Amino acid sequence: MLVRKIRTARERARAELTQEIKDEARRQLADSGASGLSLRAISRELGMVSSALYRYFPSRDDLLTALIVDAYDALGERLEAADAALSRESYRERWQAFCHAARDWARAHPNEYALVYGSPVPGYRAPEVTIGPASRVPAALLRIVLDAWDAGALPEGGPPPTRTLAAQAAVIAELAAPGVPAAPVARAGMAWAQVFGLISFELFGHFANTLDPADDFYAYAVDGAAVALGLP
């Protein structure tokens, strides 16, 4: 029993220090971006020797991966919660909730958003462990599309996809929207790209002196995308 208590205390201390390291890394993201992330600088700020920090994150890329997974999971949780708060049959309202939750999270966490949806970090290659967390975002959108299709509330419509696009859409449908034809899946991809493109334009200053503040424009675009998706 005593051994187990000691092990639990060690695990708790490790989890707390791991969180401190990631919190300091996020502060560095705000100051110098992902490319400027430095394990040595983090260890100095935390009063650790660098060799001790390497026991938690052997390399900068390991720390980046942890931050990326956290960001995707945090955004995914936000979107899933927004969707779960609404009636399953409220397809357009669920889409609107998805879009506004994504924007709200991005505006509250611009550095984490830039880490996962901004420019690639030079020299970093995301490992497979990031795929699952990253898929939570499009999966939340496709869940709306799937529910609407299964209820007979979503038209197939639209121009017929090419053979290549149809094959790509079939793979996506098999993973997250079984039974949904290629055209609605492709439209969902268009809507996904549009929403995150709008968020990126806003966060990275591309609407300055034109559509800034972007509240009304974003809401207008979200409603337009719902029409393009065919959501009732």
Side-chain angles (χ1 to χ4, degrees), residues 85-108:
L86 295 170
S87 167
R88 187 173 179 179
E89 292 76 26
S90 301
Y91 310 114
R92 185 169 296 202
E93 288 79 5
R94 288 170 63 189
W95 162 250
Q96 292 167 335
F98 170 96
C99 295
H100 290 291
R103 180 175 180 248
D104 289 346
W105 184 88
R107 284 157 58 95

Side-chain angles (χ1 to χ4, degrees), residues 44-157:
R44 284 197 303 270
E45 288 296 325
L46 296 179
M48 300 173 61
V49 294
S50 56
S51 58
L53 189 145
Y54 290 134
R55 290 199 291 269
Y56 292 81
F57 296 100
S59 70
R60 181 208 68 162
D61 285 4
D62 291 307
L63 179 53
L64 274 175
T65 296
L67 297 176
I68 289 169
V69 168
D70 283 355
Y72 277 132
D73 277 336
L75 177 55
E77 288 171 10
R78 183 73 170 269
L79 299 177
E80 291 159 4
D83 185 42
L86 295 170
S87 167
R88 187 173 179 179
E89 292 76 26
S90 301
Y91 310 114
R92 185 169 296 202
E93 288 79 5
R94 288 170 63 189
W95 162 250
Q96 292 167 335
F98 170 96
C99 295
H100 290 291
R103 180 175 180 248
D104 289 346
W105 184 88
R107 284 157 58 95
H109 305 87
N111 301 306
E112 288 93 332
Y113 179 89
L115 179 63
V116 293
Y117 290 111
S119 300
V121 181
Y124 174 77
R125 185 178 181 86
E128 288 190 7
V129 70
T130 62
I131 295 175
S135 69
R136 292 178 69 171
V137 176
L141 166 56
L142 286 168
R143 196 171 300 116
I144 302 169
V145 172
L146 175 61
D147 288 347
W149 177 261
D150 285 347
L154 187 70
E156 184 166 357

